[in-house]
Amino acid sequence: MAELEGLEFGKSDFVLLDEVSMEQFMENLKLRFEKGRIYTYIGEVVVSVNPYRQMDMYGKDSIEAYRGRELYENPPHLYAVSDAAYKAMKRRAKDTCIVISGESGAGKTEASKYIMQYIAAITNPSQRAEVESVKNVLLKSNCVLEAFGNAKTNRNDNSSRFGKYMDINFNFNGDPTGGHINNYLLEKSRVVQQQEGERNFHSFYQLLRGSSDEILESLHLQNDPALYACTKEGATSNNDRSSHRAVMNALQVIGFSKEEINSIYQILASILLLGNVQFESDGESVQILQLEAVNHISDLTATDPESISKSLLYRTVATGGGEVIEKGHTEQDACFGRDAFAKALYERLFGWIVGRINSVIEVKNYNPVLHGKNTVIGVLDIYGFEIFDNNSFEQFCINYCNEKLQQLFIELILRQEQDEYQREGITWQEIDYFNNQIIVDLVEQPHKGIISILDEACLTAGKVTDMVCLDSMDTKLAQHPHYTSRKLCPTDKTMDFKKHFRIRHYAGDVTYSVEGFLDKNKDLLFQDFKRLMYNSANPVLKEMWPDGQLSITEVTKRPLTAATLFKNSIVALVDKLACKEPYYVRCIKPNEMKSPVLFDDARCQHQVAYLGLLENVMVRRAGFAYRQPYARFLQRYKMTCEYTWPNHLMASDREAVEAIITQHGFQDDVAYGQTKLFVRTPRSLFTLEQERAALIPILVLFLQKIWRGAIARMRCRRMRAIYAIMGCYKRYKVKAHFWEVERRFANVRTMPDYGKSVEWPTPPAALAQFHNNTVMLHRRWWARQIVKNIPPSDMLDVRAKVAALTALSGERKDWGASRAWERDYLANVRDCPQTSSSFSRISKELRNKDEYSQVLFSGFCRKVNRFNKSTDRGLLVTDKYVYKLEPKKQYKVLKRLPLDAVSFTGLSVTSGVDQMVVLHTSSQDDVLLCLQQGELCPNQDRVGELVGVLVDYFTRSATAFNDHCITTGVSIPNFRVVFLPNLH
């Protein structure tokens, strides 16, 4: 059962038809074709309808979908039967074969290519180089054989004009190790003659259209096929150039040397030129008209021009007395010899190419003891049944081959069914079917068959014509129910007297023209041509004609006829197929117009009839339409029974299957075999399928629910484990950080720098804030340890410098941190000895008057007004007021500013080396001053000292009044230090 196809596409297996009739068979086949479903099963047989268009169903995704799957798990496909054959070969070490049959144009060649593509894709997963090489050669050989063995016919643009059977050898791992190709009955008559509208073999047109001008010139050719008798009937194709490149590449990949490839195309060119050779008779002798062509052929075949001319005009024969004489040809004999030579050249070339490919891909030095059993998959792509307007010897052989294959198909299918029923203990029901053994005997029976009559006529001395042979067949086969002619049936005007005979084949009646039968059966080629080619200087040509080494007196045995050789090869092929497990692909041609939408009912019904597809369905339905091993049946339908879902507790799978059947009431419609269940009617199976299809969504939802719950629980357990691990890890990292801090700072009390140089370890993220606090605490402790060692007399300067550092750090490079701050520079005799006594007097008066307790800073400065005029002034900063003094008038007080947080709001300095200071007040104008540097130390910077003193004062004042501010709700504005742009 195809898993993924609905009933709107019809029945995917013809065995499941409600009624086995031609009407229902054709209705289902047509529906599937119109829906784009070109493959349908009959059990394990694949029925393929040529779609005449590219189908998007052969890519890598499709290959993966069918790899290792059972037939019923996916929609019908070539890949399914390919995989079944491969699994049977690999699992059971059983040789298998895939037989592709159908009439010309039904898609057999394409089917064989897809089968090869699939087998190549699923093998050698380890990409071993030697296996890849074998696969490449096997795939590329298709391209080469198509070019030299296929041609365009009126029914098929790429018709195989030869039969091909390819054995692919596999080792015990299931990887391809080599192969062998057999070819059957190349239609060599096509080389010199084609029916109207058809072409010669592709290789000729590819050579003429795909080769460069230089190569064509070296081959004495031109790129117009109409110039040559062998190719003028057929039109060129747009694909000839690209196909020629592909063939050249394939030849190189396979391993043909450059010299061998050149020889191949030299032989093709020789055949083209040979076809243009014409003869003229003057009544006594025959002459060649195109001697230039003979010279070109001589050059291409590395032979003597005289020898070629002599072989075309004369025949060397040996008399009864051993005397060798040369016998001149008539014009008709010369033309016959020319055509025979051209056909033989191409046939030998094709056989040599196949042999050369076999020499590359054949398994060498294989030892089963060392390498395991060597198994084989055979792929047979052989010409289909042919009925043309004019059917000749080739069609006779081809249709005989199809009769043999049809006989094998019937025998193997019936044998498989019968063997399976016997193994399973099921009663076998005899099926009426047409046995075509009577037609096979008509063709091949010794002494009585058509081939024997043809051989007898060819061996008879004297002038035996095709008409004489036809009379002989009419006499010996007059009573045969499948043979007739105009002589035996005078009223049948569709046949001509002394020309036609008719065989009633399994595929239909075919009328054959007896003209040329004997000549084609004799397939005579004068020994002169064989010796000519054997004596060529070209080693490739010499290798193709080993029989040319015999002299005329040594050639005594008459060779077997073409029909006998073909019969022997087909009998050997059938024997080879009969010992393998067969898988079938039956190809159907939907219409004669090569249309992707037209389905010719009558045409298709005829093919269904002669392929025996309806009989095949009847054989599969002989009592039971469907059979399946118990385990597989149970696996597919166990959800339809409460006793088997999800798993049964019964003794065997058979008992579980019986429970399913009993619950649905199908006891009377089934039979139980040893290992399989047999279902009689498709209706029971469809009932199970419908119930299964209804339960699948419910089961899917149930399984999704269970699976989602399981995933959620796993995720929850995983998250809990993660959090537990994270918690333990975090605790470990915290402890490790504490331990590291303790280790590094264990001896800081005894260190000279109290641990300032110790590097702090990087904390974990959880301790980032704690780390900052710890660092701050250590810094404070370190500062405390440093401060403890400072004398109390120096603490005032220390606090001021710390305040200046806080305000000026990073902004002003040199602010006097390295020197001692004297603060009261006006009272310093060293600084201003002339005026120190005057300042001391005024300082005492101001102390008594304003009651300040401490001089914070004093020094000379220059005041700059808004008109950019400057004057010398003195600056006195006490803990209550800031005084601007006039030094020249005994330090007279010019301005007094209260030093409190309300009136005094801040000061501004620059980041340069200048001594500019701006004092900001809230009630009066700002004061711009330029502090003067000391006379004894001209580079002394006093801006930093003034800033430090004021910031320290306001900081201590804010601390003193902190409680008052909180209690009254009055806030004290911050004292700010602002940096101005540098003054130049």
Side-chain angles (χ1 to χ4, degrees):
M1 293 294 294
E3 179 77 33
L4 302 178
E5 287 191 327
L7 293 178
E8 66 271 16
F9 300 109
K11 306 292 176 57
S12 60
D13 194 329
F14 286 113
V15 173
L16 301 178
L17 291 174
D18 294 331
E19 178 185 348
V20 182
S21 64
M22 182 60 77
E23 291 75 16
Q24 283 214 7
F25 191 101
M26 294 303 301
E27 181 182 340
N28 189 61
L29 185 67
K30 183 176 182 179
L31 174 62
R32 291 183 63 76
F33 175 76
E34 291 173 346
K35 295 287 187 179
R37 299 304 192 266
I38 62 173
Y39 299 119
T40 313
Y41 289 139
I42 302 177
E44 293 183 348
V45 176
V46 175
V47 179
S48 170
V49 183
N50 192 340
Y52 286 117
R53 59 189 173 94
Q54 293 294 326
M55 303 288 287
D56 186 19
M57 54 191 307
Y58 304 104
K60 291 183 179 179
D61 293 341
S62 297
I63 291 174
E64 290 301 319
Y66 285 88
R67 183 201 294 262
R69 300 290 184 179
E70 301 297 336
L71 282 174
Y72 63 86
E73 292 188 70
N74 284 306
H77 201 292
L78 280 175
Y79 290 168
V81 73
S82 305
D83 195 80
Y86 179 75
K87 284 187 298 188
M89 178 275 301
K90 187 175 181 181
R91 293 176 180 175
R92 305 199 301 270
K94 174 87 174 169
D95 289 347
T96 61
C97 64
I98 301 173
V99 180
I100 308 169
S101 58
E103 71 173 46
S104 179
K108 301 184 300 300
T109 301
E110 290 300 309
S112 69
K113 288 195 289 188
Y114 287 130
I115 290 171
M116 292 289 296
Q117 170 187 311
Y118 180 81
I119 293 174
I122 65 173
T123 53
N124 193 28
S126 59
Q127 297 294 306
R128 289 170 51 207
E130 62 272 21
V131 178
E132 284 299 304
S133 175
V134 171
K135 285 164 53 176
N136 287 337
V137 172
L138 290 173
L139 291 175
K140 293 295 185 181
S141 66
N142 277 330
C143 176
V144 175
L145 295 179
E146 274 190 29
F148 289 88
N150 288 25
K152 178 186 180 299
T153 66
N154 291 322
R155 294 186 172 188
N156 185 359
D157 289 345
N158 189 33
S159 177
S160 297
R161 307 319 298 163
F162 73 106
K164 180 182 70 175
Y165 176 75
M166 178 184 289
D167 268 335
I168 309 172
N169 299 88
F170 295 85
N171 60 17
F172 68 99
N173 284 330
D175 293 331
T177 56
H180 185 83
I181 299 172
N182 291 325
N183 68 94
Y184 302 94
L185 192 66
L186 177 72
E187 189 189 22
K188 59 184 179 181
S189 61
R190 182 172 292 271
V191 173
V192 296
Q193 182 180 5
Q194 307 92 41
Q195 295 192 33
E196 184 179 355
E198 297 190 349
R199 295 207 320 172
N200 209 324
F201 292 100
H202 295 324
S203 55
F204 292 107
Y205 303 93
Q206 292 173 5
L207 169 64
L208 295 174
R209 287 301 193 186
S211 298
S212 64
D213 293 338
E214 293 78 10
I215 292 178
L216 289 176
E217 183 178 355
S218 68
L219 297 175
H220 310 292
L221 297 176
Q222 300 180 50
N223 65 354
D224 186 3
L227 298 176
Y228 305 97
C230 296
T231 56
K232 65 182 180 180
E233 294 294 334
T236 57
S237 168
N238 293 331
N239 297 329
D240 288 334
R241 290 184 176 85
S242 59
S243 298
H244 179 69
R245 291 193 296 270
V247 171
M248 293 293 288
N249 174 258
L251 289 171
Q252 294 171 1
V253 171
I254 292 172
F256 285 81
S257 67
K258 185 176 180 180
E259 292 74 18
E260 290 173 331
I261 296 174
N262 290 337
S263 297
I264 290 172
Y265 287 106
Q266 285 171 352
I267 295 171
L268 290 180
S270 300
I271 295 171
L272 290 171
L273 295 172
L274 190 62
N276 282 0
V277 173
Q278 298 296 322
F279 302 94
E280 183 182 48
S281 174
D282 57 6
E284 294 183 1
S285 62
V286 179
Q287 291 84 31
I288 299 174
L289 295 181
Q290 290 81 11
L291 288 176
E292 184 182 7
V294 172
N295 292 329
H296 293 331
I297 295 171
S298 169
D299 178 51
L300 293 170
T301 58
T303 55
D304 180 41
E306 292 292 333
S307 300
I308 293 179
S309 299
K310 187 176 179 181
S311 299
L312 288 171
L313 297 176
Y314 300 94
R315 176 188 176 190
T316 304
V317 295
T319 64
E323 183 182 358
V324 178
I325 62 173
E326 290 183 351
K327 181 180 179 182
H329 287 317
T330 64
E331 184 176 350
Q332 182 180 359
D333 288 342
C335 292
F336 174 80
R338 175 203 62 199
D339 292 346
F341 184 33
K343 291 188 291 185
L345 273 174
Y346 196 82
E347 183 183 35
R348 298 283 179 114
L349 171 63
F350 186 76
W352 178 83
I353 290 174
V354 173
R356 184 71 177 80
I357 295 173
N358 284 334
S359 69
V360 175
I361 63 176
E362 281 181 339
V363 180
K364 303 175 182 67
N365 303 322
Y366 192 90
N367 188 342
V369 177
L370 298 177
H371 304 115
K373 188 176 185 301
N374 186 353
T375 49
V376 169
I377 292 180
V379 180
L380 178 63
D381 171 20
I382 205 161
Y383 16 61
F385 198 85
E386 293 187 346
I387 306 176
F388 295 148
D389 294 334
N390 181 30
N391 301 290
S392 188
F393 180 77
E394 290 82 8
Q395 282 67 47
F396 170 75
C397 293
I398 287 171
N399 293 339
Y400 158 66
C401 170
N402 279 271
E403 290 285 359
K404 290 287 288 185
L405 293 176
Q406 176 68 9
Q407 181 191 33
L408 177 68
F409 173 74
I410 293 173
E411 287 181 356
L412 292 181
I413 289 295
L414 289 173
R415 186 194 308 163
Q416 283 180 340
E417 290 293 305
Q418 188 170 5
D419 291 347
E420 183 175 30
Y421 278 26
Q422 288 177 351
R423 282 197 309 270
E424 298 294 328
I426 305 297
T427 303
W428 168 255
Q429 178 182 350
E430 293 295 335
I431 299 298
D432 293 332
Y433 65 95
F434 172 68
N435 189 342
N436 67 334
Q437 181 63 46
I438 187 173
I439 304 175
V440 173
D441 290 341
L442 169 65
V443 177
E444 70 176 17
Q445 190 174 13
H447 310 299
K448 296 181 182 180
I450 295 176
I451 292 179
S452 294
I453 296 172
L454 288 173
D455 288 352
E456 183 180 345
C458 291
L459 295 174
T460 302
K463 190 67 174 178
V464 179
T465 64
D466 295 321
M467 290 181 289
V468 173
C469 182
L470 179 59
D471 287 337
S472 178
M473 287 193 293
D474 288 341
T475 301
K476 294 182 179 182
L477 302 175
Q479 303 302 318
H480 199 288
H482 290 268
Y483 175 88
T484 187
S485 67
R486 183 67 185 272
K487 180 179 178 180
L488 300 178
C489 186
T491 58
D492 189 351
K493 296 183 179 181
T494 59
M495 294 183 288
D496 295 337
F497 283 106
K498 298 183 179 181
K499 181 178 181 181
H500 292 139
F501 69 92
R502 180 177 297 155
I503 297 178
R504 188 172 299 139
H505 288 283
Y506 78 96
D509 296 350
V510 181
T511 301
Y512 296 98
S513 173
V514 78
E515 293 178 353
F517 256 60
L518 291 182
D519 288 338
K520 292 177 180 178
N521 189 39
K522 291 178 184 177
D523 196 25
L524 288 180
L525 179 67
F526 300 139
Q527 190 69 18
D528 303 76
F529 291 115
K530 297 178 183 179
R531 286 194 293 272
L532 175 68
M533 292 296 99
Y534 179 76
N535 293 321
S536 168
N538 187 327
V540 174
L541 266 173
K542 189 179 184 71
E543 183 183 348
M544 292 179 188
W545 300 84
D547 47 346
Q549 62 182 323
L550 299 176
S551 67
I552 188 64
T553 57
E554 295 176 310
V555 181
T556 57
K557 185 177 180 181
R558 184 183 294 270
L560 294 176
T561 63
T564 299
L565 288 172
F566 183 70
K567 182 189 74 171
N568 294 342
S569 65
I570 292 301
V571 170
L573 171 65
V574 169
D575 292 341
K576 185 180 293 186
L577 296 176
C579 67
K580 293 179 171 61
E581 183 173 324
Y583 293 84
Y584 289 94
V585 179
R586 311 290 264 173
C587 299
I588 291 178
K589 185 177 183 179
N591 59 76
E592 294 290 346
M593 309 300 295
K594 303 173 186 174
S595 168
V597 294
L598 180 61
F599 187 88
D600 187 336
D601 293 81
R603 189 82 184 80
C604 294
Q605 183 171 331
H606 176 68
Q607 295 174 75
V608 169
Y610 79 66
L611 287 173
L613 299 184
L614 202 62
E615 288 81 358
N616 192 2
V617 177
M618 291 178 179
V619 169
R620 290 289 295 184
R621 287 275 297 263
F624 300 96
Y626 177 81
R627 72 288 309 269
Q628 194 69 268
Y630 291 122
R632 292 182 186 172
F633 184 90
L634 181 64
Q635 181 67 27
R636 187 168 183 83
Y637 299 112
K638 64 181 180 178
M639 72 284 298
T640 64
C641 178
E642 58 183 324
Y643 302 110
T644 56
W645 178 258
N647 295 300
H648 69 85
L649 301 176
M650 302 175 192
S652 65
D653 288 345
R654 173 172 175 167
E655 293 183 19
V657 170
E658 289 180 1
I660 296 175
I661 297 300
T662 302
Q663 178 166 322
H664 291 84
F666 297 152
Q667 299 93 320
D668 298 332
D669 199 41
V670 301
Y672 298 99
Q674 300 293 335
T675 62
K676 292 182 179 180
L677 173 73
F678 291 77
V679 182
R680 182 170 283 105
T681 61
R683 183 58 52 196
S684 300
L685 195 63
F686 280 125
T687 302
L688 287 171
E689 280 294 320
Q690 288 172 353
E691 186 170 343
R692 180 180 182 274
L695 288 172
I696 286 295
I698 300 173
L699 294 177
V700 168
L701 290 175
F702 175 75
L703 292 175
Q704 285 179 342
K705 180 186 74 172
I706 297 300
W707 180 239
R708 285 170 180 163
I711 290 177
R713 286 187 290 273
M714 286 190 294
R715 187 180 293 117
C716 181
R717 288 194 294 269
R718 189 180 299 114
M719 292 303 296
R720 286 177 179 172
I722 289 172
Y723 283 128
I725 293 172
M726 286 173 59
C728 293
Y729 184 71
K730 284 181 179 179
R731 288 192 292 273
Y732 164 75
K733 293 294 287 183
V734 168
K735 291 179 181 179
H737 181 71
F738 289 158
W739 295 332
E740 184 63 18
V741 170
E742 181 181 6
R743 184 186 67 80
R744 294 189 183 188
F745 289 89
N747 300 317
V748 290
R749 295 180 182 275
T750 60
M751 292 181 182
D753 62 350
Y754 297 104
K756 183 180 180 181
S757 61
V758 175
E759 183 180 357
W760 285 82
T762 303
L767 293 180
Q769 186 60 41
F770 175 81
H771 174 74
N772 294 335
N773 295 338
T774 306
V775 172
M776 183 59 66
L777 288 173
H778 175 261
R779 287 177 179 173
R780 290 182 177 178
W781 175 83
W782 173 82
R784 178 61 182 165
Q785 298 302 111
I786 296 299
V787 168
K788 279 168 54 177
N789 297 324
I790 298 176
S793 59
D794 295 340
M795 283 303 298
L796 193 63
D797 284 348
V798 170
R799 281 199 300 268
K801 288 184 178 182
V802 169
L805 175 66
T806 304
L808 301 177
S809 176
E811 296 292 343
R812 194 173 177 95
K813 184 177 181 181
D814 183 15
W815 44 271
S818 59
R819 65 178 180 83
W821 288 356
E822 299 183 18
R823 293 176 176 254
D824 195 358
Y825 292 98
L826 292 178
N828 190 335
V829 176
R830 290 173 300 168
D831 195 28
C832 47
Q834 296 87 359
T835 60
S836 59
S837 58
S838 300
F839 176 73
S840 298
R841 180 180 53 79
I842 195 66
S843 176
K844 290 180 181 179
E845 291 178 358
L846 292 174
R847 183 189 298 269
N848 295 331
K849 178 181 178 182
D850 295 331
E851 298 180 351
Y852 64 83
S853 59
Q854 183 182 5
V855 175
L856 300 179
F857 181 84
S858 68
F860 289 109
C861 63
R862 295 184 67 83
K863 173 184 174 296
V864 182
N865 62 14
R866 59 184 178 178
F867 302 108
N868 201 22
K869 292 183 178 182
S870 60
T871 54
D872 292 333
R873 293 287 186 266
L875 176 66
L876 173 63
V877 181
T878 67
D879 56 358
K880 287 190 177 182
Y881 295 97
V882 175
Y883 301 94
K884 184 171 68 174
L885 307 176
E886 172 59 78
K888 295 180 180 180
K889 296 182 178 181
Q890 302 296 317
Y891 293 97
K892 177 182 178 181
V893 177
L894 300 179
K895 181 182 282 189
R896 181 172 62 179
L897 300 174
L899 188 62
D900 56 50
V902 177
S903 302
F904 206 92
T905 60
L907 76 160
S908 297
V909 297
T910 68
S911 56
V913 297
D914 55 81
Q915 302 297 301
M916 190 69 67
V917 177
V918 181
L919 302 177
H920 302 287
T921 63
S922 58
S923 57
Q924 300 183 36
D925 294 336
D926 294 343
V927 179
L928 177 60
L929 303 172
C930 181
L931 299 180
Q932 292 184 359
Q933 298 174 344
E935 295 179 3
L936 299 179
C937 187
N939 295 326
Q940 196 176 67
D941 189 307
R942 294 181 179 176
V943 171
E945 186 174 354
L946 176 60
V947 170
V949 167
L950 291 176
V951 171
D952 178 55
Y953 170 77
F954 280 101
T955 300
R956 288 186 286 109
S957 298
T959 302
F961 291 107
N962 186 41
D963 294 338
H964 172 73
C965 294
I966 295 174
T967 304
T968 60
V970 177
S971 61
I972 302 176
N974 292 328
F975 177 79
R976 297 179 298 112
V977 178
V978 180
F979 291 92
L980 299 174
N982 292 339
L983 299 179
H984 301 287

